[in-house]
Amino acid sequence: MKALRNYFDKIRPNFEEGGKYHWLHSVYEGFESFLFVPNTTSKSGVHIHDSRDTKRTMSIVVVALMPALLFGMYNVGLQHYMAIGMEVGFWTRFFYGLLAVLPQIVISYVVGLGIEFTVAQMKGEEIAEGFLVTGILIPMILPIDTPLWMVAVATAFAVIFAKEVFGGTGYNIFNVALIARAFLFFSYPSKMSGDKVFVRTGSALGMGHPEMVDGVAKTVDGFSGATPLTQLATTDAPHFASFSFTGVTGQPLSLSDMFWGFIPGSVGEVSTFAILLGAILLISTGVGSWKTMLSVFLGGLFTITLVNLFAVNATMEMPAYYHFLLGGFAFGAVFMATDPVTSARTEKGKWIYGFLIGLIAVTIRIFNPGYPEGMMLAILLMNAFAPLIDFYVIDANVKQRLKRVGNNKRK
Amino acid sequence: MALSSKTKAVLLGPLNKNNPILVQVLGICSSLAVTSKLEPAIVMAIAVTIVTAFGNVIISLLRKTIPNRIRIIVQLVVVASLVTIVSEILKAYAYDVNKQLSVFVGLIVTNCILMGRLEAFALGNGPWASFLDGIGNGLGYGWILVVLGFFRELLGSGTLMGYKVIPQSFYDAGYLNNGLMILPPMALLLIACLIWIHRAKNKDLQETTN
């Protein structure tokens, strides 16, 4: 560490005013603040002294994502070996998942950071830490079989059109990772939904060795890669009681499977338990807002309870806890809705914002069989409304206080 | 035929510095709706150019006799007749394209560029200048449509004018057509990109930020 510090100090003059690599100074500073605590202090008077900066906030979110990511990798391997009918140990499953997910993470970081570095260079600004979280979120909310070039295209699209054109980190209106997913969702629907993409049957970087028949991996009899929510959206069962969720080999799925995450789905979203761990870290460090998280669930609960009362089919009869355990509901509530840049910033606003996300997400799930999952669209829609909510919350507060002042005057 | 610098500006201005779509931001709705394929985009571009040019000429000829209070109605009658003629011709000779353009041929009547040119130019200028202005604005609108149609069809369907241009080997290697390109939101984004490039090249058009 000491040697690294010395090395950085040694090459620093090259990047300072008049140095020969001065034009690369934002890259130098980017790497320096990535590796060390930034050596800058406030130039004007401040009242709170704390080392909680963007870098620390972002790092905590990344750490909070780790349980969901690691479990997601394991689950990718688990679903794969179940699908091709091979009995393997824990580590084989995990390494298969690692090899399947890692290229997506690398691609997303290389493309996203490449664009960020280039834009920072062109504008002569410092490189912001914003992409640290986005880069890992993107592979976590995509189906595992998303081709790498699509990850690259979507990342580039999202970083340029959802972030850089608005002014870079901290100025974006929409959640960048969700824009990447929405782009893929509408551009390549066949690769983003259905029963083929959420379980990888082929090999991952040479690992997995499925038997190939006509260029397609041979799977066990009765294999179906449909996610539970897709199964529900396409079922013709008249009542929820006569409907049962099945795993990839046709085995029934229990509630505990759904809680721990042994179900097909996008990498990060499957395990509600792992997401819960992340939520605890986010809430205890104050990085994520518990108000937003709670109100998303309350909004969902409210809508589901209402729909359950007037249920006419299996989808409408599904109880609330299934909704919370399945799909991206928990992941969206904990990691996407709480994004400090795109969510509402007033405390009252957070309640309204979260409540409406839960309400819209569940509504889309239940009433639109074309979109089995509504979380992405719900959050993106509410991202657009967050500034409006804030405006009215502040406005109401101003009016209330004006009234109080007016009353005092009259007395 | 040599053009004076003023007529040159009338004809060529709308192609670049005074473009109806890129600078005046008019005629956006039809440019989103008809550009998912190249062929209807080209037909639409030609139709609008013809209607703008002849509408301009007719209104310019009538400009001294039209009472000011009913001029909008007169303009509408002239444009509507021209659009009806174009629409009938399309139905007779290019039925498939006409079906793809559907309601948007009829909606040329309400195209903002048209009424804008009649109001702003034809009412105050002679027929020849008005004709050139109509041609210029029609083409200024048209080339954007063609560019949009080109990229949207190429990336969205892998074809150009209905012919397959992206080789099958691409698809075999895993390439897929981008479904979002066919949807109107992507057309809006592409127009935004064109405006972006255009402003970057023409610094004098850039708005000052406060």
Side-chain angles (χ1 to χ4, degrees), chain A residues 174-252:
Chain A
F174 297 105
N175 188 310
V176 182
L178 280 178
I179 288 288
R181 191 182 197 280
F183 175 78
L184 289 178
F185 186 79
F186 289 108
S187 296
Y188 311 105
S190 65
K191 286 283 173 193
M192 291 300 290
S193 53
D195 54 1
K196 296 276 186 294
V197 294
F198 287 103
V199 175
R200 177 173 286 193
T201 48
S203 60
L205 295 180
M207 197 175 164
H209 313 300
E211 255 180 82
M212 301 302 272
V213 181
D214 298 333
V216 179
K218 187 168 176 279
T219 50
V220 294
D221 293 340
F223 165 76
S224 162
T227 62
L229 281 176
T230 311
Q231 297 170 21
L232 185 72
T234 52
T235 183
D236 45 8
H239 293 290
F240 188 66
S242 59
F243 170 78
S244 63
F245 292 111
T246 52
V248 284
T249 56
Q251 86 278 23

Side-chain angles (χ1 to χ4, degrees), chain A residues 60 64 273-288 293 334-335:
Chain A
I60 287 175
F273 172 72
I275 294 164
L276 210 59
L277 289 182
I280 292 170
L281 180 68
L282 286 186
I283 292 171
S284 62
T285 51
V287 168
M293 294 182 201
V334 172
F335 295 109

Side-chain angles (χ1 to χ4, degrees), chain A residues 80-242:
Chain A
H80 166 76
Y81 284 108
M82 274 195 330
I84 64 167
M86 254 167 90
E87 281 294 322
V88 291
F90 173 85
W91 288 108
T92 318
R93 286 169 184 163
F94 181 77
F95 277 118
Y96 176 85
L98 184 72
L99 290 181
V101 178
L102 207 56
Q104 295 193 347
I105 298 179
V106 171
I107 287 283
S108 137
Y109 270 122
V110 166
V111 172
L113 285 177
I115 293 170
E116 290 243 314
F117 273 53
T118 316
V119 172
Q121 280 297 332
M122 278 163 53
K123 286 175 154 181
E125 288 171 355
E126 281 181 40
I127 292 155
E129 293 92 333
F131 196 74
L132 213 58
V133 173
T134 312
I136 203 153
L137 277 175
I138 290 173
M140 285 178 76
I141 54 176
L142 294 181
I144 184 63
D145 248 1
T146 314
L148 291 179
W149 68 270
M150 283 187 192
V151 179
V153 170
T155 309
F157 176 86
V159 172
I160 294 173
F161 286 101
K163 191 163 158 190
E164 297 303 345
V165 294
F166 288 107
T169 304
Y171 294 95
N172 45 315
I173 298 175
F174 297 105
N175 188 310
V176 182
L178 280 178
I179 288 288
R181 191 182 197 280
F183 175 78
L184 289 178
F185 186 79
F186 289 108
S187 296
Y188 311 105
S190 65
K191 286 283 173 193
M192 291 300 290
S193 53
D195 54 1
K196 296 276 186 294
V197 294
F198 287 103
V199 175
R200 177 173 286 193
T201 48
S203 60
L205 295 180
M207 197 175 164
H209 313 300
E211 255 180 82
M212 301 302 272
V213 181
D214 298 333
V216 179
K218 187 168 176 279
T219 50
V220 294
D221 293 340
F223 165 76
S224 162
T227 62
L229 281 176
T230 311
Q231 297 170 21
L232 185 72
T234 52
T235 183
D236 45 8
H239 293 290
F240 188 66
S242 59

Side-chain angles (χ1 to χ4, degrees), chain B residues 92-115:
Chain B
Y93 294 103
Y95 187 67
D96 290 336
V97 178
N98 185 59
K99 250 175 36 189
Q100 282 183 48
L101 287 170
S102 66
V103 68
F104 287 95
V105 177
L107 282 181
I108 296 179
V109 179
T110 60
N111 194 316
C112 325
I113 297 171
L114 235 88
M115 296 306 276

